[in-house]
Amino acid sequence: MSLKKNVVANYLGQGWRALMGLAFIPLYIKYLGIEAYGLIGIFAILQAWMALLDMGMRPALGREMARFTGGAHNAQSIRELLRSIEIIGIAIAGAVALGIWAASGWLAVEWVTANDLPLQVIAQAFAVMGAVTALSFIENIYVSSIVGLQHQVLQNVLSSILATARGLGAVGVLAWVSPTIEAFFIWQGLISLTTVVMFAGVVYRTLPKSPRPARFSWSALIGIWRFAAGMMTITLLALLLTQVDKILLSRLLTLELFGYYALAGTVANALYMLIGPIANAFYPRFTELVTRGDEIALRSAYHQGAQLATVLMGSAAIVLMVFGDRVLLLWTADSALSQHVAPLLSVLALGTLFNGLMWIPYQTQLAHGWTTLTIKINSVAVAVLVPGILWAVPKYGAIGAAWVWVALNTGYLIFGIYFMHRRLLPKEKWRWYCKDVAIPLVTATATAALCRWAIPAEMSKIVELAILMIVSVCVLIAAALTAPMVRHQITRYLTDKVKLITTGSSRQP
């Protein structure tokens, strides 16, 4: 029941946060312009690279919190591990904020190319970005702890409230206070500071009291260093694989063109909101089952998570690929903007889908404490990706980088799955390929293509919105009905509801 509650809570929470993150982007562009939105895209790159600086300690902390729920830690040891990571994390965050502030002038002059924004405005924006990025880094320490402790319902409630304040407040600041990129980032910083305080309070109230005050402990860090080192390496390689295109494009393209790519990437990355809740809920469960040695339950949970990921993320990705131009036009009400972004969105959504399908196998590897496979595969991928980007971007522009992203993740699906199942769950590979992934995706794609052919080209906005919602539901149902474990769960749920209604009716006088 806890797993189901966490999955539902993660979907509702992350779905709402995704809505808050996406709904106001057209207004940000309206008040700030596409060049300033390009700076917001660079801000997202900085936040992503901050994950490297925790040296693998944050994901290791989440894993140890999950192991604490399985009895692997006492109150004293888990609190000392948390305190040790807090101290290091705050020191790193402070150094990053100061470093970006010191380099803000150089970044404004040497890195980005702007046509309309003054250099002083860009430099000030970078300086504020550094402080906000540092706060987000600290915030993630506590988020990882809450997820590992499997108290994800409360975390999602608080995160949703804060995301609403972040999005609505930013629009209010831009509309009524100051329509500048500096004001936008200052508001983000205030919300991040509030988030840090609230989540730290949740973590410390959730953990049981220790016999003595927690302090910095080298022994606590040494206990996780192998896993943390593996995670740091994986994070470095993952960042190279997912962010190198954006880094190169931010340097090679103007801020305007990079803004189009950043917008397409933001929409495509919203798909992770559909896989993230599943991974966050299943990873602690996988870790608990591995700790207990329950292989049968692990296999069942693995396929359940994989099919759920395919149905939910796959359906949304296919809708974006097939109907991306219509979705963008409805969302932004800007035909020129939609024409620039739609081709990029379709390709990036395909690559992001392939990447998302690997999340459940990846969480299974981490639950076993096995990081070397991902390190080896990512090392090969980086060796191929960086030259590929350097060749494709100058020749084909942003769309070339998007297709390199697709090719990379196709390789993951071929080679990563093979080697993973050769060691873990060796008899489950073809079940994963066929029943967990291929059949639901093929069915959903055929359904979306048929709907695209059937619906008219010209419609009012209200009618088109209604039809797109109906199409999305049809694609989702098609995928769900062809995923055996998801179909079984739906059937059992509906049967129980019918029995409950029937029993209740028969007892009435």
Side-chain angles (χ1 to χ4, degrees), residues 164-174 187:
T164 304
R166 189 183 296 273
L168 283 175
V171 172
V173 168
L174 295 176
W187 178 255

Side-chain angles (χ1 to χ4, degrees), residues 248-260:
L248 289 174
L249 288 171
S250 70
R251 181 67 181 87
L252 298 174
L253 302 177
T254 65
L255 269 179
E256 178 183 355
L257 295 178
F258 178 71
Y260 295 136

Side-chain angles (χ1 to χ4, degrees), residues 274-309:
L274 296 172
I275 186 65
I278 300 174
N280 289 340
F282 275 85
Y283 172 58
R285 178 62 173 165
F286 290 161
T287 303
E288 181 183 354
L289 293 174
V290 170
T291 303
R292 294 178 179 176
D294 193 341
E295 184 76 11
I296 295 175
L298 178 63
R299 288 200 301 268
S300 177
Y302 173 72
H303 289 296
Q304 182 184 4
Q307 290 182 27
L308 195 58

Side-chain angles (χ1 to χ4, degrees), residues 232-252:
M232 181 179 67
T233 306
I234 289 173
T235 302
L236 170 61
L237 294 171
L239 285 170
L240 289 173
L241 295 171
T242 59
Q243 300 296 323
V244 71
D245 59 334
K246 301 175 184 64
I247 293 172
L248 289 174
L249 288 171
S250 70
R251 181 67 181 87
L252 298 174

Side-chain angles (χ1 to χ4, degrees), residues 4 489-503:
K4 291 181 180 179
Q489 290 288 331
I490 294 173
T491 303
R492 189 173 67 177
Y493 174 80
L494 294 176
T495 301
D496 291 342
K497 287 296 183 182
V498 170
K499 287 182 179 179
L500 181 62
I501 294 172
T502 304
T503 303

